[in-house]
Amino acid sequence: MLLLGVNIDHIATLRQARYADMLESPNAEPSPLDAARDAVAGGADSITIHVRGDRRHMQETDAFAIREQIDLPLNFEMGNTEEMVAMALRLKPDFVCLVPETREEVTTEGGLDVHGLYESLEPTVKALQSGGIKVSMFIDPDTPQVEASSKIGAEMIELHTGCFANAFGEDRASETERLHAAAKLGHSLGLQVNAGHGINLQNLPELLTVPHLAELNIGHTLVARSVRVGLEAAVREMADAMKGYGE
Ligand code: PXP
């Protein structure tokens, strides 16, 4: 069964747009914790949050509230910094997904260069795993990145589907092929293969041709759709559309 991880960062983005300086105010809305509850009601299999170094959306308090009050696996996305490793070891999420993080990017724009940054990533992977946390690498669907993720000892990879999602026509076909190859390689190396970024109801059918997928992490389109139908219904639509994968 293909699992749905719901990324609720953009609920916090909306709250920060008005209340970044008044987070203690009873007016501060919308609540990421309530959003997580709605995602659970809609059939989410896990909740994903990313506390960024610049705290542009999720705050540490959101992460701990969700960890304590939501009874689903928590996927904690983080950059490779000492601050975030320390936070993860206190938070104890079920999974960490290591992502590249720069201040300028609007969202996570490319995969983590596990191959090039191997030396600096290895101690982080070991530290997280020693704390009982499984580690996923958010990587572009390229052979050196998949191989480096296996070598470094990660349990999972999350294939970056941004290029796939933003390509159309022939370009889409070749991006889909790239994902097929990376998923097959990851699976053959014993990695759990997840995927995320830019997935929506329009591109989902093509993505579902990719073999060996275990979990999709989806955020933006669900939060966007929730403006029309509410988050619970948006999550349910997506979960329904994912049914039948691999059968
Ligand atoms: N996976 C990772 C590692 C991400 O950084 C993001 C975006 O925050 C997502 C999945 C979800 O992408 P989207 O919001 O485009 O669905």
Side-chain angles (χ1 to χ4, degrees):
M1 189 187 146
L2 182 59
L3 303 178
L4 172 58
V6 174
N7 181 318
I8 51 171
D9 288 345
H10 293 314
I11 300 294
T13 304
L14 183 56
R15 178 194 60 195
Q16 298 302 107
R18 173 66 64 92
Y19 293 105
D21 298 335
M22 307 169 59
L23 287 171
E24 302 302 321
S25 165
N27 293 336
E29 63 180 356
S31 151
L33 180 59
D34 287 343
R37 291 195 177 106
D38 290 345
V40 173
D45 296 295
S46 65
I47 300 295
T48 298
I49 55 172
H50 183 180
V51 177
R52 298 182 66 106
D54 62 10
R55 304 296 195 277
R56 75 174 60 156
H57 38 54
M58 284 292 170
Q59 308 298 304
E60 194 170 338
T61 47
D62 296 318
F64 279 85
I66 289 167
R67 184 59 176 150
E68 281 155 22
Q69 296 187 50
I70 299 297
D71 196 17
L72 274 188
L74 179 65
N75 175 24
F76 186 62
E77 289 180 9
M78 57 175 251
N80 181 25
T81 64
E82 276 179 32
E83 181 198 18
M84 286 304 153
V85 173
M87 195 186 296
L89 291 173
R90 282 185 288 114
L91 182 65
K92 299 258 180 227
D94 300 83
F95 321 103
V96 153
C97 183
L98 287 169
V99 301
E101 201 181 284
T102 59
R103 260 168 198 276
E104 301 74 34
E105 67 190 7
V106 177
T107 176
T108 311
E109 279 166 4
L112 185 64
D113 183 6
V114 183
H115 181 68
L117 300 172
Y118 194 95
E119 305 293 317
S120 61
L121 287 166
E122 195 178 28
T124 296
V125 172
K126 299 281 171 282
L128 293 168
Q129 290 173 331
S130 307
I133 303 167
K134 289 189 177 151
V135 179
S136 177
M137 297 295 194
F138 183 55
I139 54 169
D140 290 329
D142 295 326
T143 297
Q145 301 301 343
V146 180
E147 288 178 343
S149 301
S150 167
K151 187 171 161 211
I152 212 165
E155 285 89 357
M156 289 168 264
I157 49 174
E158 180 173 326
L159 298 176
H160 190 314
T161 47
C163 290
F164 157 85
N166 290 323
F168 294 91
E170 280 180 23
D171 292 343
R172 169 70 64 79
S174 63
E175 287 299 334
T176 307
E177 192 38 53
R178 242 178 112 194
L179 290 167
H180 275 250
K184 283 181 197 157
L185 178 60
H187 180 73
S188 74
L189 293 171
L191 292 160
Q192 176 176 321
V193 181
N194 303 331
H197 205 92
I199 300 170
N200 59 28
L201 286 173
Q202 286 69 45
N203 59 40
L204 183 73
E206 217 164 336
L207 184 64
L208 296 187
T209 66
V210 175
H212 309 306
L213 295 175
E215 180 158 313
L216 303 183
N217 283 313
I218 306 181
H220 186 98
T221 195
L222 295 175
V223 175
R225 178 80 177 135
S226 75
V227 175
R228 303 285 303 279
V229 301
L231 188 59
E232 180 180 336
V235 170
R236 188 168 298 115
E237 281 175 356
M238 188 60 72
D240 286 346
M242 286 164 53
K243 280 188 184 139
Y245 173 79
E247 284 170 7

